[in-house]
């Protein structure tokens, strides 16, 4: 079970946002499913682990940007939390959520829906309009 993504998605208001989870282990053609589900999305979040799963995440992010260049790609999980700036060196990754993502991702989605900037969202590392990497203050750990 993709428990991390389920936890992140459950923090969003279901009356405002429809969350779709594509689990590559369960899909016959996960990339096709991702590209289909991404149509019209506010953003696409990916849980990324260190090691071999990074190859899959990179492939998915690159395909997503090619098909839907204006949809922000957000990485979270262990690897992006440990190496946020390095993850953003990849052109297909726009934002990294570090640490616990429930509150941070919910704030990010709300900001995207309102068209606001990302400067004051704790726990984010992101690229500004000039492509410069900006690391916001960390978000304190909370009991979820």
């Amino acid at each position: 079970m993709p428990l991390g993504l389920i936890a992140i998605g459950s923090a969003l208001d279901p009356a405002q946002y429809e969350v779709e989870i594509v689990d590559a282990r369960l899909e016959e053609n996960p990339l096709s499913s991702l590209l289909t589900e991404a149509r019209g999305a506010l953003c696409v979040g990916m849980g990324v682990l260190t090691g071999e799963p990074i190859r899959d995440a990179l492939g998915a992010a690159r395909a997503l940007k090619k098909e839907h260049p204006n949809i922000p790609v957000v990485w979270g999980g262990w690897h992006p939390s440990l190496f946020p700036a390095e993850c953003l060196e990849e052109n297909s990754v726009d934002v990294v959520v570090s640490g616990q993502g429930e509150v941070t991702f919910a704030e990010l989605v709300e900001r995207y829906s309102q068209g606001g900037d990302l400067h004051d969202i704790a726990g984010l590392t992101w690229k500004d309009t000039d492509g410069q990497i900006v690391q916001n203050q960390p978000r304190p750990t909370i009991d979820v």
Side-chain angles (χ1 to χ4, degrees):
M1 293 289 292
L3 297 177
L5 293 177
I6 291 170
I8 299 299
S10 68
L12 298 174
D13 181 353
Q16 288 187 285
Y17 306 107
E18 181 179 346
V19 176
E20 296 290 338
I21 295 177
V22 176
D23 187 339
R25 299 167 296 179
L26 303 176
E27 298 287 337
E28 187 174 320
N29 188 336
L31 195 52
S32 177
S33 295
L34 174 65
L35 296 176
T36 298
E37 293 297 338
R39 288 187 192 124
L42 197 55
C43 66
V44 172
M46 298 181 184
V48 182
L49 299 173
T50 302
E52 192 63 31
I54 291 174
R55 289 187 211 277
D56 293 335
L58 282 170
R62 289 171 181 163
L64 185 67
K65 278 298 187 185
K66 184 176 180 181
E67 183 83 15
H68 305 288
N70 296 322
I71 295 177
V73 174
V74 182
W75 275 17
W78 283 105
H79 189 84
S81 291
L82 293 170
F83 305 105
E86 290 81 358
C87 289
L88 289 169
E89 290 175 6
E90 168 62 35
N91 289 332
S92 60
V93 180
D94 300 299
V95 179
V96 166
V97 174
S98 295
Q100 291 174 317
E102 291 84 353
V103 174
T104 305
F105 189 72
E107 286 183 18
L108 176 63
V109 168
E110 186 67 24
R111 197 64 54 89
Y112 279 145
S113 73
Q114 296 172 355
D117 82 25
L118 309 180
H119 280 92
D120 62 341
I121 301 176
L124 287 187
T125 306
W126 52 285
K127 291 183 228 174
D128 67 14
T129 54
D130 296 327
Q132 297 299 309
I133 294 174
V134 178
Q135 189 161 17
N136 294 359
Q137 67 183 13
R139 182 172 300 275
T141 303
I142 60 171
D143 182 6
V144 292

